[in-house]
Every structure is written in C-alpha cells, then in structure tokens.
Amino acid sequence: MLSRILAALAVVALLVLTILYASGKGWLGSDWGAGEVTGLETPAQIVTARDTSQRTAAADLGVRKPKRILFGDLHVHSTYSIDAFAMALPLAGGEGAYPVSDACDFARHCAALDFWSINDHAMGITAEGWRDTIESIRQCNAVASDPERADSVAFLGWEWTQMGTRADNHYGHKNVIFRDLTDDAIPARPIAAAPPPDMLEIQPDSDVNPPAVVMGLVPFATRDPIYFDWARFMQTVASVPSCPADQPVRSLPNDCREAVATPGELFAKLDEWGHESMVIPHGTTWGFYTPLGSAWDKQLSSAQHDPKRQQLVEVFSGHGNSEEFRSWQEVRLDREGPETCPEPTADYLPSCWQAGEIIHARCESAGESETECDARAERARALYVEGNVSGFLTVPGARAADWLDAGQCRDCFQPSFNYRPKSSVQYMMALRNFDEAETSGAPDRFRFGFMASSDNHSARPGTGYKEVRRTAFTESRFEHLGESFLGGKDEREPGPEAVPFSAEAMASAGVSFFGLRETERGGSFFLNGGLIAAHSEGRSRGAIWDAMGRREVYGTSGPRILLWFDLLNAPGSRAQEVPMGGEVGMEESPVFRVRAVGSFEQQPGCPTHTSEMLAAERLARLCKGECYHPSDTRRPISRIEIIRIRPQAEQDEPIETLIEDPWKSFACDPDPGGCTVHFADEDFTGEGRDVLYYARAIETPSLAVNAGGLRCERDEQGTCVRTRPCIGVDESDDCLAETEERAWSSPIFVDYRESEPDPEAGQLEVVDR
C-alpha cells in the first residue's frame, strides 16, 4: 500500500513539475503582438484649425512667412520592450498589453501629435516582433489619406540600450530612427547593445529570467493567467540566438540578435545598411543606470561620434531634465588611484557621503565610540562608491527616507534622478576634441540640436499635454517592480556596519535586476514628459525629417509653446535670418531675436470629434478620459533666458567657466500674445572664440506631476531634514507641485572667423521667414 501511495505521489509531483515547467517555458501563454490600429483620420478641418491658430500667433509677433511648428514624440515604448511589458503586469499596477497600435491611436487622438516614433528596446525585439512593428507603423501611416498633408506621421525605430558597469565603459541609451518605411529602407533586424563582459546577459537561467519551474509558479501563486504570457515573452526573447560576429549585416540570418558594444560599432552597422537614419542620445544624466562619474568626453571622437547621424540630443523626457551642468561631483575620480567619495557642498549631498552618515548614526546608537563610528562611516562611503549604481545596497535595511535628497540636483529644473552632471547637455556642448585636432574629418565639437520627448513605456506618445494620470502617463510604476519578484525588496535588518555589494549575494537573497537599482526613490522623479517641435515646410514625412536634419527643432517640457530664435546679422545673408540650429562664421558681434508664445490652457476631457474617431472603450482605456483639448486662452511667457556656452579653447580648460546660465534674462509682460526680445553679444569680437547660444522660453508657474521630486522639508540653513517622496500613495494622487514649464531652442553656433567665410563652404541654409 505504501509503495502505491509513494508511486501516486511521485506521479502527482511529476505532473505538477511538468505543468510548472510548461508554464515557465511559456507554453501556456499567448503572444501580445502589435495589435490593430482602429482610429480614423483626424478631420481635415481640425488640422487646418491648428495650423491657422499658429499662423495667427506668429503674425501677431511679426513672424514673416512662418513654417509650420509641428509637435511630436520620438521616444515611445510598447510592450515589445521588456521593462514596458513588466510594467504592464498587475504587480506593477499595469493593465495588460500596450502594443504599437495603441501608440498610433494615442498619438493621433489622445495627444493630437503631428508625428511620433516607436523605439522599443532592441534587446527585446524578436524577428516576428520586428516584422509586426513595421506592419503596425505602416498601418498607422496608411490612416492618413494624403501623406503630403498627413494628420499624423509615424516613424520607425528602436532604442540602443547600452548600460556600462563603470564610467569608462558606459555610453548610454540612444534612439535610432529611420526616415522611410519601404523594405529597401529598413534594416532586417534591430541592433541591440552588447553588455560589457562583467555584466550578466539575459539568459533563460539568469537573475532577470529565473529557471522555468520558478517562473512557472508565478501564474498559480498570483492566480492570474497574464503571467503565462509574461513567461512566454521572456522565454521567447531569451531563446533568440546571437548573430555570428564579423559578418556583413546583409549576410546575417534575420532571426538572430545583432548586438554591438559601442556607439562607433553601431554607426558602422548603420553605414553598412546605408539607410537614412538618425541617432538621438537620451536620458544622459539619469543615474538610475548611469555609473557614478560618467562623462561624455570619451564619446567626442571619430571612433564614437558620427555627426551625420547623431545630430540631435534629448534634453528632457519623462525621466527628467538632462540639460544643466553643475560643478559638484557625485564621485571623485583620481587618475592615479581609486574613486573616492567627495564631501558635501552647500548645494549637493553625495549619496556615498550619506551612506556614511546613516552608518555613523546607527553605530552611535549601538554604543560604539566616536573613533569607531568615524571609521565605519569612512568605510561605508568607500563601499558605496565600489557598489556604484547599487551602492545603496551596501547599507543594509536602508529605506528611502534615510537617504534624504542625496544624489539629487537641488537647483535644476525637474532633474533626472541621481543626476550625473558630466553627462549633461551643457557639458557636452562645452567640450572640444583636442586629441584629434590634426586629424582630417574628426569632429571638433558636439553640434547638437535640442529636442525633448516622453520616454513613455505604455504606448502613449506625448503624455505631457496635461498634468494628470500619474500612474498611467508616467513610469512611476517602476517603484513596484523593485519590490516584485522581478526586483525583490531588501529585507535585511538595519545594521551598524556597511557591507560590500555583491550581485551574487543579492541574488541568493531574492534581489535581482530592478531591486539592484533605486526604484523606490526614483519613482518620485518620473514626469509626464516632453515634446519635440519642428519648424517644418509641410506635414509630410520628408518635410519633418528635413527640419530635424537642419536642427531647426526645439524641445518643450510638455506644453506646446511656440518658439522662434534667429540670428539677424549673419555675413552674406542679405538681411535673411539664420534660425535655431544654424551654424555661421563671423567676426562682428552677433545680434539675435527670440519670440515666444505660451501654450493653450487645457479644458477637461476630450474634444467632441475624438469620440467620433475612436471607439468609446478604447478612448477610455488609452486616454483615461483626458485628451489634448485646448481652450482659446494661452499661458503667458514670464521670461526668456539666454544661455551662452564658449566651447573649450584649450585642453583641460575648466568647463564651469564656459557655461553661462543664464547669460541674459528678460522679463516679459504678462501678455498671452507672447514675448519678443532682442540682444547682442558685444564681447564676441574682443574675445575672438567660438560661441553657441540658445534660448529658454519660460511660462508662468503651474502645477505638474512629480515636479517636487522628493518634496524635501528644509531647515533654516536649507538642509533637507525630511522627505515626502511620492511612494505608495493612492493612484488618484498625482503628486502635483508648482513648476515653470519651458521650451529650449536648438543652439545657434557662431564660430569666430576673422575673414568673411565662403558662403558655399558647408554652411547651413540661411532661410527667409
């Protein structure tokens, strides 16, 4: 009898293991796919009304022959991205699949965008997923009856998502976007980022994708069949073989994963294909994944920068602002020795320093001597630096409140989390390449145009049109991933000593990818996101692409601010103006004009025509009842600021002396009709060096989601003594705080030349407005 019972139990156990294995391998799940575009074309009269409104505003400011200003979002993820899929799960407060088709309908009808692009992480896109993405983008464009006057244009692309383990092997994230959609203009497969050798790759048995039996438990433990789909997705992604190395791109199988380790290798692959494409760096200061001390110096070289493709940079997104440089350091880099922890300054508290403060306080509470506690604090700071982006885990049991505002830029506009100032856009623009000064064709400087986008991970392009729906329109759901089976909460008891960070030890304690990064504090820095605005000759794909190629674009923090920035006295221009993004050589003092008009105040709900273009249930799920719905009232522009950056003239010239922010500031009358300012740089000729200038147009204060970041309570000396992070709050709480929404123009590059330049020698087109 006993043997029969044991045999029966063995059969049952084998059956259970088989079911769990099948579940974990994804055999019980379904593919979410790219979905179907269901929305109709925006009525022509609506599109015409938008254009007419712009022309009226431009005419009121005296803009002659204005181009259309078209608003877009070139940074959007669907659930083909691994992290987006994870945030679509119930454990993160998600609502299931958000395919590429959702992005199309959201862009057209919720956000009323003129253009957008899909940019899923290449590492998660299979051959089938790539084919389906292409087809969905084609479907989206086919909705427009006239491509030359399209109501909305969709571009195809992916994200090259490189994450280094140290500052010297980190290059960051870049979006790759293609102009055209025909088969002969699209690569056969996306190109992913190869991880550094010391970083774990995504494999079926890695800490990111647990063993099949473990993965198979989740649907049964949660009693939710959606996790069968998650298992299928992860196993499908992990099963894609790596492409053979050192083979031409057209000789590779279509169903392998192609990956390269550096930007230079990415540019080389794109050159092999020969398709018209653009590469846009983004999230450059976001310390969630960017190693301590990361700097852009190493990317200013002919090996790692392609000025033909890498023409724009994202200054702002739903992950925060990456514009501003600060001279403080998050880590002290010593060329002759190890990295060390810098002391705090009046405007910055390094996270490594706060690690020492936490341990020191615990040590004192344990009754240890001051000498012992000082020694433990010093060791804690060193261990934090060694732990890098996971340094917070060297302090066992530390909670978000313990860190106060450590690691954050206190005086930046809506900064990204754990700010990395030497990866800021201002820092990039002040650099000069001296190492290749004698090398023909080598880039001497970064000459980026400025743009912004959302980096939305729920297929919702352009969510910045209203400051609403924090948990749906931002990535604040990241905080849940850190405590889920995808992250694993640090359950250690607070101890009086720091411990070295070990990925293996954390994995054995159930802490993996999302748990190895500061998802909890970082959740308070996710915003509704920005927009790119293009001064375009028309509404066609080609016209928009050409505007981006001219760098005649700007970024906004979400609102549709109208902005013009022009050089008025370029040599040989015959009174024609050089617009933002332009590049000239001159000797006399440059004279500029900035004109700006604030965005429309928004009405609640959605316009009437939207419900006629999109089914009610789809409108409710995607738009959450709130669409771009402008009133007739514009917000006033409160001031216009001019930033002047003088790129390095000598090797090792201190960057902080070259960035003047603001160089000039002009108060504007509270007139909804807009603001115009003129200025000149009287020092240009005397200084005799290259300069770039850009403008910020700033609206009067308004409320925005997560604009307060950690919402510090400060003492009389300005020290943060307590935080109120937007963590674990009700989803109806948008954590609103006052901010000043803004637009950033692309720079105008004025190079000092003693003699008049040849007008045929590679200058950008001087355009008549």
Side-chain angles (χ1 to χ4, degrees):
M1 175 65 75
L2 179 60
S3 61
R4 291 180 179 177
I5 293 174
L6 291 176
L9 289 175
V11 170
V12 170
L14 181 60
L15 180 61
V16 169
L17 287 174
T18 301
I19 293 172
L20 292 178
Y21 185 79
S23 167
K25 295 296 285 186
W27 298 340
L28 306 181
S30 301
D31 294 320
W32 284 1
E36 293 293 328
V37 175
T38 63
L40 304 178
E41 184 177 21
T42 304
Q45 63 268 28
I46 300 296
V47 177
T48 299
R50 294 174 191 161
D51 292 344
T52 301
S53 173
Q54 269 191 28
R55 285 197 300 271
T56 300
D60 288 346
L61 283 182
V63 182
R64 297 183 297 113
K65 300 180 182 178
K67 299 183 179 74
R68 290 180 174 90
I69 297 179
L70 302 182
F71 290 95
D73 186 348
L74 298 180
H75 194 171
V76 183
H77 296 268
S78 78
T79 39
Y80 275 136
S81 290
I82 294 174
D83 51 355
F85 198 123
M87 284 191 287
L89 298 172
L91 61 85
E95 301 173 309
Y98 283 102
V100 180
S101 57
D102 281 7
C104 174
D105 287 342
F106 188 95
R108 183 172 261 120
H109 299 299
C110 305
L113 291 182
D114 300 302
F115 63 100
W116 67 282
S117 68
I118 192 68
N119 308 98
D120 282 311
H121 299 290
M123 59 187 280
I125 306 176
T126 63
E128 181 180 6
W130 184 235
R131 289 193 299 270
D132 289 348
T133 296
I134 294 169
E135 181 55 33
S136 190
I137 292 296
R138 287 171 174 168
Q139 286 180 17
C140 187
N141 286 289
V143 171
S145 57
D146 183 356
E148 294 301 310
R149 297 176 179 81
D151 62 325
S152 186
V153 174
F155 289 93
L156 177 70
W158 69 72
E159 179 176 319
W160 186 76
T161 312
Q162 196 274 347
M163 293 185 289
T165 53
R166 307 178 308 276
D168 63 353
N169 66 12
H170 178 80
Y171 296 100
H173 298 185
K174 301 174 189 285
N175 285 327
V176 182
I177 300 167
F178 293 87
R179 183 190 187 280
D180 298 310
L181 293 175
T182 56
D183 287 342
D184 60 356
I186 301 170
R189 72 201 72 77
I191 303 166
D198 53 349
M199 178 180 284
L200 290 173
E201 294 191 54
I202 295 179
Q203 297 293 342
D205 294 323
S206 77
D207 66 328
V208 178
N209 198 13
V213 172
V214 176
M215 181 76 89
L217 280 169
V218 178
F220 299 101
T222 60
R223 299 181 181 181
D224 193 331
I226 196 173
Y227 294 100
F228 291 130
D229 301 341
W230 167 250
R232 183 178 182 85
F233 175 74
M234 290 301 292
Q235 290 292 340
T236 300
V237 170
S239 67
V240 177
S242 296
C243 293
D246 302 323
Q247 287 190 20
V249 293
R250 287 180 169 82
S251 300
L252 297 171
N254 287 349
D255 59 353
C256 63
R257 177 175 293 115
E258 191 171 6
V260 295
T262 68
E265 294 170 16
L266 172 65
F267 297 135
K269 291 278 189 181
L270 293 172
D271 284 344
E272 271 195 78
W273 282 111
H275 305 320
E276 199 164 350
S277 63
M278 193 171 292
V279 177
I280 305 176
H282 65 266
T284 54
T285 61
W286 191 35
F288 176 80
Y289 74 93
T290 303
L292 297 167
S294 291
W296 261 67
D297 304 64
K298 63 181 176 294
Q299 297 199 50
L300 182 52
S301 70
S302 54
Q304 304 300 347
H305 175 51
D306 181 353
K308 300 188 305 295
R309 298 190 191 278
Q310 200 166 239
Q311 297 175 291
L312 305 178
V313 65
E314 184 184 279
V315 299
F316 181 90
S317 77
H319 293 182
N321 180 16
S322 291
E323 175 202 8
E324 298 165 83
F325 173 71
R326 293 293 180 269
S327 59
W328 43 254
Q329 301 177 77
E330 70 271 30
V331 66
R332 185 181 294 114
L333 302 177
D334 188 340
R335 296 176 182 175
E336 305 301 324
E339 300 171 346
T340 57
C341 184
E343 294 186 1
T345 63
D347 55 355
Y348 181 69
L349 172 62
S351 291
C352 55
W353 189 269
Q354 183 61 11
E357 297 298 287
I358 296 169
I359 290 299
H360 195 285
R362 291 180 183 178
C363 178
E364 286 185 330
S365 296
E368 300 291 346
S369 69
E370 186 70 14
T371 301
E372 175 64 18
C373 293
D374 286 347
R376 291 186 185 183
E378 190 66 25
R379 182 169 184 266
R381 291 170 186 136
L383 289 176
Y384 186 102
V385 170
E386 291 177 13
N388 218 306
V389 295
S390 300
F392 71 105
L393 290 171
T394 63
V395 183
R399 297 293 175 251
D402 298 330
W403 296 99
L404 299 175
D405 67 342
Q408 313 314 317
C409 185
R410 292 173 175 168
D411 61 347
C412 293
F413 168 75
Q414 295 185 199
S416 61
F417 175 64
N418 279 351
Y419 204 77
R420 307 292 190 237
K422 287 187 177 180
S423 291
S424 67
V425 172
Q426 289 182 344
Y427 183 85
M428 298 175 198
M429 304 304 280
L431 293 172
R432 193 181 291 274
N433 179 9
F434 293 96
D435 294 337
E436 298 178 305
E438 305 301 322
T439 303
S440 176
D444 68 327
R445 290 159 46 193
F446 291 120
R447 295 176 184 255
F448 292 136
F450 294 173
M451 52 83 75
S453 284
S454 72
D455 200 356
N456 181 270
H457 280 61
S458 59
R460 290 186 170 106
T463 43
Y465 56 83
K466 284 180 182 174
E467 296 297 332
V468 296
R469 306 293 188 263
R470 177 181 61 88
T471 57
F473 286 6
T474 80
E475 275 54 71
S476 58
R477 299 185 306 284
F478 253 96
E479 69 174 85
H480 300 297
L481 294 181
E483 299 180 359
S484 72
F485 72 89
L486 298 174
K489 189 173 183 178
D490 179 10
E491 299 290 357
R492 295 171 298 174
E493 290 296 318
E497 292 190 67
V499 298
F501 169 73
S502 165
E504 292 76 13
M506 289 293 103
S508 65
V511 180
S512 57
F513 185 80
F514 290 106
L516 300 179
R517 284 142 179 88
E518 281 196 88
T519 54
E520 191 176 23
R521 280 205 309 157
S524 294
F525 289 79
F526 289 114
L527 312 168
N528 279 33
L531 293 172
I532 176 176
H535 287 270
S536 178
E537 295 282 5
R539 288 190 156 273
S540 69
R541 171 182 305 276
I544 295 168
W545 188 267
D546 290 345
M548 294 191 291
R550 295 191 305 269
R551 299 180 301 214
E552 199 174 348
V553 298
Y554 62 93
T556 88
S557 56
R560 293 173 205 202
I561 298 167
L562 305 181
L563 179 62
W564 296 264
F565 176 40
D566 303 290
L567 173 67
L568 303 182
N569 64 331
S573 64
R574 299 177 183 177
Q576 294 180 335
E577 301 152 3
V578 175
M580 63 178 73
E583 183 176 336
V584 300
M586 60 192 297
E587 184 178 10
E588 65 178 303
S589 294
V591 179
F592 301 90
R593 179 180 57 219
V594 184
R595 295 178 281 202
V597 183
S599 63
F600 285 114
E601 295 280 4
Q602 293 294 303
Q603 302 178 81
C606 297
T608 303
H609 75 268
T610 308
S611 60
E612 299 168 357
M613 302 295 107
L614 200 61
E617 64 276 7
R618 194 155 171 76
L619 189 65
R621 182 174 186 268
L622 293 181
C623 312
K624 299 296 182 184
E626 294 291 353
C627 306
Y628 179 69
H629 192 8
S631 68
D632 295 329
T633 303
R634 288 188 179 272
R635 296 173 179 169
I637 298 292
S638 66
R639 68 186 183 279
I640 289 173
E641 295 178 340
I642 307 302
I643 295 79
R644 182 173 78 161
I645 299 178
R646 297 169 297 162
Q648 289 174 310
E650 300 175 359
Q651 190 121 27
D652 298 325
E653 189 174 11
I655 295 293
E656 56 267 29
T657 66
L658 306 177
I659 300 167
E660 297 169 278
D661 180 11
W663 174 55
K664 294 181 181 290
S665 183
F666 302 92
C668 297
D669 294 332
D671 181 1
C675 182
T676 299
V677 302
H678 293 79
F679 66 95
D681 185 354
E682 303 295 347
D683 299 325
F684 178 79
T685 301
E687 291 185 350
R689 62 187 296 165
D690 300 346
V691 186
L692 65 93
Y693 310 81
Y694 70 93
R696 281 196 297 248
I698 301 173
E699 290 188 334
T700 53
S702 58
L703 297 177
V705 169
N706 272 346
L710 293 169
R711 300 188 289 183
C712 269
E713 296 177 14
R714 301 188 182 276
D715 62 16
E716 293 180 356
Q717 287 73 43
T719 303
C720 181
V721 296
R722 192 176 299 104
T723 61
R724 294 186 300 111
C726 195
I727 298 171
V729 300
D730 188 273
E731 68 173 32
S732 63
D733 185 350
D734 286 327
C735 297
L736 297 173
E738 189 172 85
T739 191
E740 292 180 305
E741 304 285 12
R742 59 196 58 198
W744 299 264
S745 79
S746 282
I748 294 177
F749 302 87
V750 184
D751 294 344
Y752 180 78
R753 292 181 185 165
E754 292 187 355
S755 57
E756 179 139 346
D758 179 358
E760 302 297 320
Q763 292 189 40
L764 293 182
E765 178 185 6
V766 178
V767 295
D768 182 9
R769 290 189 187 279

